Amino acid sequence: MKESDTNVRKRTDPRPVYIELGDDTDGAFHVYRTTDETIHVVQGGERVQKFVLNGRSVDDYVKFVRDDVEGREWENRRYVADDEDPFAALVDQLADATEVAA
């Protein structure tokens, strides 16, 4: 193996390899892969989309799904964007988790 192979190089990034962003209202699961700066959208056990960030941030992607994608919203989000109050997001998440259907 060559030393430049990604599997051989020592990983120094303190972030986990995969960061769960959350689920959307279409039932898709969004995951950020830190090793290559990509977002993977998984639905029904298969990857249905891959987004290469190309210098954009994960926050930009989360805001894009939240604000710009018609008919798709975050249903169960685990990632708080940089323009949001983390405390308010936590309160919203706890309120959603404690709701009981009548």
Side-chain angles (χ1 to χ4, degrees):
M1 271 191 218
K2 296 186 300 184
E3 248 183 74
S4 63
D5 288 347
T6 56
N7 294 336
V8 175
R9 284 184 275 165
K10 183 177 179 182
R11 185 169 157 78
T12 59
D13 190 341
R15 301 174 299 171
V17 173
Y18 292 97
I19 297 173
E20 298 175 3
L21 301 179
D23 305 309
D24 66 30
T25 53
D26 282 349
F29 182 70
H30 301 249
V31 179
Y32 168 44
R33 186 164 61 189
T34 61
T35 55
D36 62 359
E37 297 295 316
T38 58
I39 307 285
H40 299 266
V41 182
V42 178
Q43 191 168 23
E46 295 183 21
R47 183 177 70 186
V48 294
Q49 289 181 310
K50 175 182 176 182
F51 295 93
V52 180
L53 291 175
N54 284 330
R56 293 172 297 216
S57 73
V58 137
D59 293 290
D60 292 336
Y61 176 82
V62 169
K63 290 184 266 188
F64 171 74
V65 173
R66 182 191 71 199
D67 300 336
D68 297 328
V69 178
E70 282 296 315
R72 184 178 279 192
E73 307 259 339
W74 289 109
E75 186 170 319
N76 182 14
R77 189 161 38 115
R78 295 169 188 84
Y79 186 92
V80 178
D82 62 0
D83 67 342
E84 299 175 294
D85 175 6
F87 181 73
L90 176 62
V91 169
D92 288 344
Q93 208 170 33
L94 290 173
D96 290 344
T98 57
E99 287 181 9
V100 178

